[in-house]
Amino acid sequence: MAGATTRRVVMFPFPFPSHIAPMLQLAELLRARGLAVTVVHTSFNAPDSAGHPELTFVPMHERLPDAATDPGADLVGQMLALNAACEAPFREALRAEVRRGQAGRSGGEVACAVVDGQWYAAITAAAEVGVAALALRTDSAATLHCMLSYSRLCSAGYLPIKGKCRDEVLPPVEPLRGRDLIRVDGSDAERVREFIARVDNAMRAAAMGVVFNTFHAIEAPVLHKIRRQLLTRATFAIGPMHRLLGAPEEHGLHAPDRGCVAWLHAQAPRSVLYVSLGSVARIDREVFDEMAMGLAGSGVPFLWVIRPAFVTGTADGDAPPLPEPLAPVVADGKGKVVTWAPQRDVLAHPAIGGFWTHCGWNSTLESICEGVPMLVQPCFGDQTVNARYVTQQWGVGLELGEVFDRARVAEAVRKLMVGEEGAAVRERARDLKAKARQSVEDDGASAAAIDRLVRYMVSF
Ligand code: UDP
């Protein structure tokens, strides 16, 4: 129950599952430290409030154009359209929360707002209302550093990427190469740059601080660079938040198929490759077929998440048929296919020996926390950045390579699962797991950072 002196934080998640989950993790972490939390949210892709009885949820009833909601829409266009359409409704919702707090009607005056880092328009809107806005980055610090370096990359002539820059390390964003920079297939590079420029501008002009779901042992140098770029010390690396929170896995996008955990119980230790490209990525039929053939050819047992409509050209709700010769492998029980897995439980299972991942930031952190080595297949957005750090900087994953055929897939899978190189990567993954654990212990850096964050929040 909120007391008379309780301060309230207004949160505004970006309406996609892998953005909502970390925002609600932060909400629970703040609540456990005595702050009251109101989650203002879009009606589009509204968060599930069921597991959060002590948070207050306030829908905005925004009006969105098709460009903001169409699942087939260009992703960058969608993010620009969401920002444009939600700026005014968020400003009004925040004003209303401030008034309710001042009138003593909401169990705590508003101390500050925490908005997702992709809501550049909301960061500015909060500043206009006179509320300190902190940005929650649900991606890596390396991704934000890359975004804040775009204008420098442009003026140094590295952008647009051409020729040999693709394979060269670019000094302003080292260890990234040209091909690791943020890109969104199907979106015009100019629009990607426009989006990044808007985020950059809001961060520099209006954000009072930045919260990261990361930890010092993996990203201290890049966090240091960001502090210099933003001229602020108000950065808080409080990850991995799901570990700091210690809460069980939430439902997520779909109901998970728990039968796959029973199947894992019957597999040998570290023998199974878990394959999942997250909740959004879609692949072409040819790539899907090469993945399937390569898996079958590797002889390695696998657990593969194939979401409905994962393969382009298949209708929503339809699972693509498994190509020969993968179907008999599954029929024999040497491989398993599910539409959605309880991923954190899967990664924690002793039978898992590797994770073929798109390197979404949540998946990357979850893999690091369980000490599972990765095989990286980044698809778009920040995934290329994360993949480069996983393979090059932290050495806990192997590249699949850009040329993607069944023979190379089979070779890469074997290299990770049974090869010497894979063993070295596994060893480093084990070390990183221990560091992730240390960071959330009582005297760890992330635990200290969240205490500092709470003090900062109530100072406004
Ligand atoms: N996830 C899951 N089951 C699945 C596939 C994914 O629970 O079968 C979860 C995964 O644990 C992670 C999230 O979905 O927390 C995916 O987020 P990520 O940032 O990795 O990728 P995105 O979906 O944004 O591309």
Side-chain angles (χ1 to χ4, degrees):
M1 196 60 184
T5 56
T6 302
R7 302 296 304 278
R8 181 165 291 271
V9 176
V10 176
M11 306 190 101
F12 189 34
F14 206 58
F16 295 97
S18 44
H19 289 256
I20 293 169
M23 185 65 88
L24 294 182
Q25 285 164 3
L26 177 57
E28 292 294 352
L29 285 165
L30 296 178
R31 190 190 60 72
R33 284 159 181 78
L35 290 167
V37 178
T38 296
V39 180
V40 170
H41 62 85
T42 52
S43 299
F44 166 65
N45 283 351
D48 181 4
S49 60
H52 306 278
E54 296 192 59
L55 308 181
T56 306
F57 286 81
V58 178
M60 280 194 332
H61 306 301
E62 73 287 348
R63 294 169 73 93
L64 297 179
D66 288 350
T69 56
D70 180 2
D74 144 53
L75 211 58
V76 178
Q78 192 176 12
M79 296 200 291
L80 290 164
L82 279 166
N83 269 279
C86 293
E87 180 173 0
F90 175 70
R91 191 186 298 111
E92 285 321 302
L94 185 57
R95 270 209 184 104
E97 287 307 315
V98 170
R99 279 197 297 269
R100 277 158 48 80
Q102 286 166 344
R105 283 186 284 121
S106 66
E109 282 202 41
V110 173
C112 65
V114 177
V115 307
D116 189 290
Q118 309 295 54
W119 277 134
Y120 55 81
I123 296 175
T124 312
E128 284 163 15
V129 176
V131 172
L134 283 83
L136 170 65
R137 295 301 312 183
T138 59
D139 44 19
S140 59
T143 299
L144 180 61
H145 171 58
C146 179
M147 292 171 97
L148 296 174
S149 305
Y150 258 57
S151 57
R152 222 178 124 198
L153 289 167
C154 283
S155 46
Y158 293 120
L159 281 173
I161 289 297
K162 44 193 170 312
K164 61 184 172 57
C165 281
R166 273 183 59 70
D167 294 312
E168 270 179 12
V169 172
L170 309 182
V173 287
E174 195 238 319
L176 302 183
R177 301 157 297 186
R179 67 174 147 120
D180 303 317
L181 297 184
I182 297 160
R183 69 177 152 74
V184 182
D185 290 341
S187 290
D188 179 62
E190 199 45 54
R191 294 198 95 192
V192 175
R193 281 216 291 279
E194 177 192 339
F195 177 76
I196 289 174
R198 285 172 184 261
V199 171
D200 178 312
N201 191 39
M203 296 297 273
R204 290 178 204 268
M208 296 297 289
V210 196
V211 182
F212 293 94
N213 190 14
T214 189
F215 58 107
H216 273 262
I218 52 172
E219 295 211 278
V222 85
L223 285 161
H224 178 69
K225 287 181 193 166
I226 289 172
R227 280 195 287 277
R228 283 210 319 248
Q229 282 170 314
L230 293 178
L231 304 174
T232 179
R233 295 185 60 75
T235 61
F236 305 88
I238 59 166
M241 283 198 283
H242 71 280
R243 269 299 150 84
L244 196 54
L245 195 57
E249 186 159 16
E250 292 217 20
H251 229 170
L253 195 56
H254 311 285
D257 180 339
R258 299 212 64 90
C260 63
V261 178
W263 178 82
L264 286 173
H265 290 338
Q267 309 302 318
R270 288 198 305 278
S271 65
V272 177
L273 180 67
Y274 172 57
V275 188
S276 164
L277 302 187
S279 63
V280 186
R282 305 182 77 194
I283 56 171
D284 292 338
R285 179 84 219 189
E286 300 82 69
V287 176
F288 177 71
D289 285 349
E290 295 306 310
M291 282 177 84
M293 304 292 203
L295 273 176
S298 74
V300 167
F302 61 86
L303 168 60
W304 191 359
V305 177
I306 303 180
R307 300 184 330 264
F310 172 55
V311 174
T312 49
T314 45
D316 248 2
D318 286 353
L322 282 181
E324 290 290 339
L326 199 71
V329 178
V330 173
D332 285 353
K334 294 201 183 99
K336 184 143 181 83
V337 172
V338 294
T339 50
W340 193 252
Q343 180 163 304
R344 272 157 49 188
D345 292 347
V346 165
L347 289 170
H349 198 285
I352 294 295
F355 182 11
W356 178 342
T357 173
H358 68 313
C359 285
W361 187 236
N362 292 302
S363 294
T364 304
L365 277 180
E366 289 160 8
S367 202
I368 287 174
C369 284
E370 300 303 340
V372 176
M374 292 169 250
L375 196 55
V376 307
Q377 184 190 355
C379 301
F380 62 83
D382 61 327
Q383 297 157 16
T384 44
V385 175
N386 302 334
R388 180 68 172 164
Y389 273 72
V390 163
T391 55
Q392 178 71 20
Q393 198 77 358
W394 308 321
V396 295
L398 299 178
E399 281 190 336
L400 257 167
E402 283 198 300
V403 182
F404 199 89
D405 61 43
R406 61 195 71 178
R408 285 175 202 237
V409 167
E411 191 191 330
V413 167
R414 279 196 297 267
K415 202 194 271 183
L416 181 77
M417 298 297 287
V418 293
E420 267 176 38
E421 208 175 327
V425 166
R426 177 163 295 111
E427 192 59 43
R428 285 194 288 272
R430 218 175 277 140
D431 290 348
L432 215 47
K433 173 182 177 174
K435 288 183 179 150
R437 193 185 298 126
Q438 281 160 13
S439 74
V440 298
E441 279 169 3
D442 285 349
D443 55 352
S446 295
I450 190 141
D451 291 341
R452 193 166 59 85
L453 172 64
V454 170
R455 288 197 298 276
Y456 186 63
M457 285 177 152
V458 297
S459 72
F460 293 110

